[in-house]
Amino acid sequence: MRIGELAAIAGVTTRAVRHYHRIGLLPEPPRQPNGYREYALRDAVELARLRRLTELGLSLDEVKDVLANDAGRELVEILTELDVDLARQEDAIRQRRARLRQLLEQAERTGRLPAEAPVSPELAAVFEDMARASALLPGPEPAMAAKERQLLALLETGSPGADRGWLDALVHTLGADPEAMRRAYEVYARLDELADAAEDDPRVEQTARAVAESIPDAALRAMAIPDRGVAEDESGFLDAFFEDHSPAQAAAIRRAIVLLRERAG
């Protein structure tokens, strides 16, 4: 039979057959005097098995190992590894679907998702509280509140899975104290007022103290502020963080970090 007939019997394309020839997966019969290759039933049997193996999820390299091992032990080993890998993928898919379900439920409940989505359910709850607090305020939401959400989403993404003490403390504080979010928005408004101020503006110190006082002790302990100076940060993160604020805002936050460090010590 010709290559087209062989491919049709095994349910693959002629292009696939030629590719298997090129990489040595399927022996290539010699050409006949008429220039065509003639395939036997054995070729169809081997091609069909090759297809079955690839449909199980084996890579072509793994299929080559299986076909090269007459005893069949290699196939058992590879199928065992494949089963473990598929179980791992299945678990990951379940977790992703559960997360998607949470996001869709949040969107149905609130009518929207925050611009920072997707975030953890815990952080999403904080953002929902922020949205409710903002809706009760006159005028637009302070720009610093939006920056806070962006920063929290960034920190959550960059934190190791177990390093969530700061978030747990934040969620607990906001949930336990109805006034905590209102005070937070007062701090956001103070920081917004410093957008065009000079670094030596008296409001810088006042705002720094307001920022420091807004951080509860439990959250402060979870934040684990280092004992070294802010300028000694080697990651580049703080430089980028402060550059995203006006000079007066950056000065207030730097001073607040010093005050928090003194409190923590």
Side-chain angles (χ1 to χ4, degrees), residues 171-192:
V171 172
H172 175 75
T173 299
L174 294 176
D177 184 359
E179 293 297 303
M181 189 61 76
R182 181 188 60 79
R183 291 195 299 271
Y185 267 81
E186 289 178 354
V187 172
Y188 298 146
R190 282 173 174 258
L191 286 165
D192 271 16

PDB file of all heavy atoms in Angstrom, residues 171-192:
ATOM      1  N   VAL A 171      -6.306  41.886  57.175  1.00  0.00           N
ATOM      2  CA  VAL A 171      -7.705  41.465  57.049  1.00  0.00           C
ATOM      3  C   VAL A 171      -8.370  41.428  58.421  1.00  0.00           C
ATOM      4  O   VAL A 171      -9.512  41.883  58.585  1.00  0.00           O
ATOM      5  CB  VAL A 171      -7.793  40.086  56.371  1.00  0.00           C
ATOM      6  CG1 VAL A 171      -9.221  39.550  56.406  1.00  0.00           C
ATOM      7  CG2 VAL A 171      -7.293  40.162  54.937  1.00  0.00           C
ATOM      8  N   HIS A 172      -7.661  40.900  59.430  1.00  0.00           N
ATOM      9  CA  HIS A 172      -8.227  40.816  60.783  1.00  0.00           C
ATOM     10  C   HIS A 172      -8.513  42.209  61.329  1.00  0.00           C
ATOM     11  O   HIS A 172      -9.579  42.454  61.914  1.00  0.00           O
ATOM     12  CB  HIS A 172      -7.269  40.079  61.710  1.00  0.00           C
ATOM     13  CG  HIS A 172      -7.721  40.061  63.140  1.00  0.00           C
ATOM     14  ND1 HIS A 172      -8.751  39.253  63.584  1.00  0.00           N
ATOM     15  CD2 HIS A 172      -7.298  40.787  64.227  1.00  0.00           C
ATOM     16  CE1 HIS A 172      -8.944  39.475  64.872  1.00  0.00           C
ATOM     17  NE2 HIS A 172      -8.077  40.390  65.283  1.00  0.00           N
ATOM     18  N   THR A 173      -7.571  43.128  61.155  1.00  0.00           N
ATOM     19  CA  THR A 173      -7.739  44.482  61.686  1.00  0.00           C
ATOM     20  C   THR A 173      -8.928  45.176  61.044  1.00  0.00           C
ATOM     21  O   THR A 173      -9.767  45.781  61.722  1.00  0.00           O
ATOM     22  CB  THR A 173      -6.468  45.314  61.436  1.00  0.00           C
ATOM     23  OG1 THR A 173      -5.374  44.694  62.115  1.00  0.00           O
ATOM     24  CG2 THR A 173      -6.638  46.736  61.941  1.00  0.00           C
ATOM     25  N   LEU A 174      -9.017  45.093  59.715  1.00  0.00           N
ATOM     26  CA  LEU A 174     -10.103  45.770  59.016  1.00  0.00           C
ATOM     27  C   LEU A 174     -11.451  45.133  59.339  1.00  0.00           C
ATOM     28  O   LEU A 174     -12.475  45.814  59.368  1.00  0.00           O
ATOM     29  CB  LEU A 174      -9.846  45.738  57.506  1.00  0.00           C
ATOM     30  CG  LEU A 174      -8.627  46.545  57.038  1.00  0.00           C
ATOM     31  CD1 LEU A 174      -8.408  46.351  55.546  1.00  0.00           C
ATOM     32  CD2 LEU A 174      -8.800  48.025  57.354  1.00  0.00           C
ATOM     33  N   GLY A 175     -11.441  43.816  59.599  1.00  0.00           N
ATOM     34  CA  GLY A 175     -12.690  43.146  59.919  1.00  0.00           C
ATOM     35  C   GLY A 175     -13.137  43.377  61.347  1.00  0.00           C
ATOM     36  O   GLY A 175     -14.336  43.412  61.636  1.00  0.00           O
ATOM     37  N   ALA A 176     -12.159  43.558  62.249  1.00  0.00           N
ATOM     38  CA  ALA A 176     -12.490  43.704  63.661  1.00  0.00           C
ATOM     39  C   ALA A 176     -12.809  45.143  64.057  1.00  0.00           C
ATOM     40  O   ALA A 176     -13.483  45.379  65.055  1.00  0.00           O
ATOM     41  CB  ALA A 176     -11.330  43.184  64.519  1.00  0.00           C
ATOM     42  N   ASP A 177     -12.318  46.094  63.290  1.00  0.00           N
ATOM     43  CA  ASP A 177     -12.489  47.509  63.637  1.00  0.00           C
ATOM     44  C   ASP A 177     -13.189  48.240  62.495  1.00  0.00           C
ATOM     45  O   ASP A 177     -12.573  48.530  61.466  1.00  0.00           O
ATOM     46  CB  ASP A 177     -11.122  48.142  63.904  1.00  0.00           C
ATOM     47  CG  ASP A 177     -11.241  49.587  64.361  1.00  0.00           C
ATOM     48  OD1 ASP A 177     -12.379  50.095  64.449  1.00  0.00           O
ATOM     49  OD2 ASP A 177     -10.201  50.216  64.625  1.00  0.00           O
ATOM     50  N   PRO A 178     -14.479  48.541  62.631  1.00  0.00           N
ATOM     51  CA  PRO A 178     -15.222  49.219  61.564  1.00  0.00           C
ATOM     52  C   PRO A 178     -14.632  50.578  61.200  1.00  0.00           C
ATOM     53  O   PRO A 178     -14.839  51.072  60.087  1.00  0.00           O
ATOM     54  CB  PRO A 178     -16.634  49.372  62.153  1.00  0.00           C
ATOM     55  CG  PRO A 178     -16.716  48.341  63.231  1.00  0.00           C
ATOM     56  CD  PRO A 178     -15.335  48.236  63.797  1.00  0.00           C
ATOM     57  N   GLU A 179     -13.903  51.196  62.135  1.00  0.00           N
ATOM     58  CA  GLU A 179     -13.339  52.522  61.881  1.00  0.00           C
ATOM     59  C   GLU A 179     -11.990  52.458  61.186  1.00  0.00           C
ATOM     60  O   GLU A 179     -11.463  53.489  60.762  1.00  0.00           O
ATOM     61  CB  GLU A 179     -13.191  53.274  63.215  1.00  0.00           C
ATOM     62  CG  GLU A 179     -14.500  53.628  63.887  1.00  0.00           C
ATOM     63  CD  GLU A 179     -15.309  54.588  63.011  1.00  0.00           C
ATOM     64  OE1 GLU A 179     -14.800  55.662  62.666  1.00  0.00           O
ATOM     65  OE2 GLU A 179     -16.452  54.231  62.672  1.00  0.00           O
ATOM     66  N   ALA A 180     -11.413  51.264  61.093  1.00  0.00           N
ATOM     67  CA  ALA A 180     -10.064  51.142  60.530  1.00  0.00           C
ATOM     68  C   ALA A 180     -10.018  51.619  59.079  1.00  0.00           C
ATOM     69  O   ALA A 180      -9.085  52.335  58.679  1.00  0.00           O
ATOM     70  CB  ALA A 180      -9.583  49.703  60.625  1.00  0.00           C
ATOM     71  N   MET A 181     -11.009  51.254  58.282  1.00  0.00           N
ATOM     72  CA  MET A 181     -11.000  51.657  56.879  1.00  0.00           C
ATOM     73  C   MET A 181     -11.221  53.151  56.742  1.00  0.00           C
ATOM     74  O   MET A 181     -10.628  53.806  55.877  1.00  0.00           O
ATOM     75  CB  MET A 181     -12.074  50.882  56.110  1.00  0.00           C
ATOM     76  CG  MET A 181     -11.992  51.081  54.598  1.00  0.00           C
ATOM     77  SD  MET A 181     -10.423  50.513  53.883  1.00  0.00           S
ATOM     78  CE  MET A 181     -10.668  48.737  53.901  1.00  0.00           C
ATOM     79  N   ARG A 182     -12.072  53.717  57.594  1.00  0.00           N
ATOM     80  CA  ARG A 182     -12.286  55.172  57.541  1.00  0.00           C
ATOM     81  C   ARG A 182     -10.992  55.909  57.841  1.00  0.00           C
ATOM     82  O   ARG A 182     -10.655  56.884  57.166  1.00  0.00           O
ATOM     83  CB  ARG A 182     -13.374  55.571  58.544  1.00  0.00           C
ATOM     84  CG  ARG A 182     -13.691  57.065  58.551  1.00  0.00           C
ATOM     85  CD  ARG A 182     -14.617  57.435  59.683  1.00  0.00           C
ATOM     86  NE  ARG A 182     -14.026  57.110  60.985  1.00  0.00           N
ATOM     87  CZ  ARG A 182     -13.107  57.867  61.573  1.00  0.00           C
ATOM     88  NH1 ARG A 182     -12.646  58.960  60.984  1.00  0.00           N
ATOM     89  NH2 ARG A 182     -12.632  57.517  62.758  1.00  0.00           N
ATOM     90  N   ARG A 183     -10.259  55.424  58.872  1.00  0.00           N
ATOM     91  CA  ARG A 183      -8.981  56.067  59.200  1.00  0.00           C
ATOM     92  C   ARG A 183      -7.980  55.907  58.053  1.00  0.00           C
ATOM     93  O   ARG A 183      -7.197  56.822  57.764  1.00  0.00           O
ATOM     94  CB  ARG A 183      -8.415  55.464  60.484  1.00  0.00           C
ATOM     95  CG  ARG A 183      -9.201  55.816  61.737  1.00  0.00           C
ATOM     96  CD  ARG A 183      -8.395  55.506  62.997  1.00  0.00           C
ATOM     97  NE  ARG A 183      -8.071  54.086  63.098  1.00  0.00           N
ATOM     98  CZ  ARG A 183      -8.867  53.192  63.693  1.00  0.00           C
ATOM     99  NH1 ARG A 183     -10.027  53.585  64.224  1.00  0.00           N
ATOM    100  NH2 ARG A 183      -8.519  51.924  63.776  1.00  0.00           N
ATOM    101  N   ALA A 184      -8.013  54.747  57.403  1.00  0.00           N
ATOM    102  CA  ALA A 184      -7.103  54.530  56.280  1.00  0.00           C
ATOM    103  C   ALA A 184      -7.372  55.544  55.173  1.00  0.00           C
ATOM    104  O   ALA A 184      -6.432  56.105  54.583  1.00  0.00           O
ATOM    105  CB  ALA A 184      -7.260  53.104  55.744  1.00  0.00           C
ATOM    106  N   TYR A 185      -8.635  55.822  54.914  1.00  0.00           N
ATOM    107  CA  TYR A 185      -8.960  56.783  53.856  1.00  0.00           C
ATOM    108  C   TYR A 185      -8.596  58.209  54.264  1.00  0.00           C
ATOM    109  O   TYR A 185      -8.304  59.048  53.407  1.00  0.00           O
ATOM    110  CB  TYR A 185     -10.428  56.657  53.451  1.00  0.00           C
ATOM    111  CG  TYR A 185     -10.590  55.718  52.276  1.00  0.00           C
ATOM    112  CD1 TYR A 185     -10.617  54.343  52.466  1.00  0.00           C
ATOM    113  CD2 TYR A 185     -10.643  56.199  50.978  1.00  0.00           C
ATOM    114  CE1 TYR A 185     -10.716  53.474  51.400  1.00  0.00           C
ATOM    115  CE2 TYR A 185     -10.744  55.343  49.899  1.00  0.00           C
ATOM    116  CZ  TYR A 185     -10.777  53.978  50.112  1.00  0.00           C
ATOM    117  OH  TYR A 185     -10.858  53.123  49.040  1.00  0.00           O
ATOM    118  N   GLU A 186      -8.595  58.487  55.540  1.00  0.00           N
ATOM    119  CA  GLU A 186      -8.125  59.795  55.999  1.00  0.00           C
ATOM    120  C   GLU A 186      -6.633  59.940  55.716  1.00  0.00           C
ATOM    121  O   GLU A 186      -6.163  61.009  55.312  1.00  0.00           O
ATOM    122  CB  GLU A 186      -8.405  59.964  57.494  1.00  0.00           C
ATOM    123  CG  GLU A 186      -9.875  60.140  57.835  1.00  0.00           C
ATOM    124  CD  GLU A 186     -10.105  60.241  59.328  1.00  0.00           C
ATOM    125  OE1 GLU A 186      -9.128  60.063  60.101  1.00  0.00           O
ATOM    126  OE2 GLU A 186     -11.258  60.489  59.737  1.00  0.00           O
ATOM    127  N   VAL A 187      -5.888  58.837  55.902  1.00  0.00           N
ATOM    128  CA  VAL A 187      -4.449  58.850  55.610  1.00  0.00           C
ATOM    129  C   VAL A 187      -4.215  59.000  54.111  1.00  0.00           C
ATOM    130  O   VAL A 187      -3.344  59.759  53.681  1.00  0.00           O
ATOM    131  CB  VAL A 187      -3.775  57.568  56.137  1.00  0.00           C
ATOM    132  CG1 VAL A 187      -2.324  57.484  55.659  1.00  0.00           C
ATOM    133  CG2 VAL A 187      -3.833  57.527  57.659  1.00  0.00           C
ATOM    134  N   TYR A 188      -5.006  58.304  53.297  1.00  0.00           N
ATOM    135  CA  TYR A 188      -4.864  58.434  51.842  1.00  0.00           C
ATOM    136  C   TYR A 188      -5.066  59.887  51.414  1.00  0.00           C
ATOM    137  O   TYR A 188      -4.332  60.419  50.568  1.00  0.00           O
ATOM    138  CB  TYR A 188      -5.888  57.557  51.113  1.00  0.00           C
ATOM    139  CG  TYR A 188      -5.756  56.083  51.356  1.00  0.00           C
ATOM    140  CD1 TYR A 188      -6.886  55.254  51.392  1.00  0.00           C
ATOM    141  CD2 TYR A 188      -4.507  55.479  51.543  1.00  0.00           C
ATOM    142  CE1 TYR A 188      -6.781  53.891  51.607  1.00  0.00           C
ATOM    143  CE2 TYR A 188      -4.399  54.109  51.764  1.00  0.00           C
ATOM    144  CZ  TYR A 188      -5.536  53.326  51.796  1.00  0.00           C
ATOM    145  OH  TYR A 188      -5.433  51.981  52.016  1.00  0.00           O
ATOM    146  N   ALA A 189      -6.091  60.525  52.019  1.00  0.00           N
ATOM    147  CA  ALA A 189      -6.379  61.919  51.666  1.00  0.00           C
ATOM    148  C   ALA A 189      -5.228  62.834  52.082  1.00  0.00           C
ATOM    149  O   ALA A 189      -4.863  63.761  51.339  1.00  0.00           O
ATOM    150  CB  ALA A 189      -7.684  62.362  52.332  1.00  0.00           C
ATOM    151  N   ARG A 190      -4.634  62.594  53.257  1.00  0.00           N
ATOM    152  CA  ARG A 190      -3.483  63.386  53.707  1.00  0.00           C
ATOM    153  C   ARG A 190      -2.318  63.243  52.732  1.00  0.00           C
ATOM    154  O   ARG A 190      -1.649  64.226  52.390  1.00  0.00           O
ATOM    155  CB  ARG A 190      -3.040  62.930  55.096  1.00  0.00           C
ATOM    156  CG  ARG A 190      -3.896  63.425  56.251  1.00  0.00           C
ATOM    157  CD  ARG A 190      -3.444  62.751  57.540  1.00  0.00           C
ATOM    158  NE  ARG A 190      -4.116  63.259  58.700  1.00  0.00           N
ATOM    159  CZ  ARG A 190      -3.583  64.134  59.562  1.00  0.00           C
ATOM    160  NH1 ARG A 190      -2.384  64.609  59.362  1.00  0.00           N
ATOM    161  NH2 ARG A 190      -4.271  64.539  60.619  1.00  0.00           N
ATOM    162  N   LEU A 191      -2.060  62.012  52.293  1.00  0.00           N
ATOM    163  CA  LEU A 191      -0.964  61.794  51.347  1.00  0.00           C
ATOM    164  C   LEU A 191      -1.246  62.468  50.013  1.00  0.00           C
ATOM    165  O   LEU A 191      -0.330  63.010  49.376  1.00  0.00           O
ATOM    166  CB  LEU A 191      -0.735  60.296  51.159  1.00  0.00           C
ATOM    167  CG  LEU A 191      -0.042  59.586  52.319  1.00  0.00           C
ATOM    168  CD1 LEU A 191      -0.192  58.074  52.205  1.00  0.00           C
ATOM    169  CD2 LEU A 191       1.442  59.972  52.381  1.00  0.00           C
ATOM    170  N   ASP A 192      -2.499  62.443  49.588  1.00  0.00           N
ATOM    171  CA  ASP A 192      -2.849  63.130  48.339  1.00  0.00           C
ATOM    172  C   ASP A 192      -2.554  64.623  48.429  1.00  0.00           C
ATOM    173  O   ASP A 192      -2.139  65.251  47.444  1.00  0.00           O
ATOM    174  CB  ASP A 192      -4.338  62.927  48.029  1.00  0.00           C
ATOM    175  CG  ASP A 192      -4.590  61.677  47.197  1.00  0.00           C
ATOM    176  OD1 ASP A 192      -3.681  60.819  47.121  1.00  0.00           O
ATOM    177  OD2 ASP A 192      -5.687  61.551  46.624  1.00  0.00           O
TER     178      ASP A 192
END
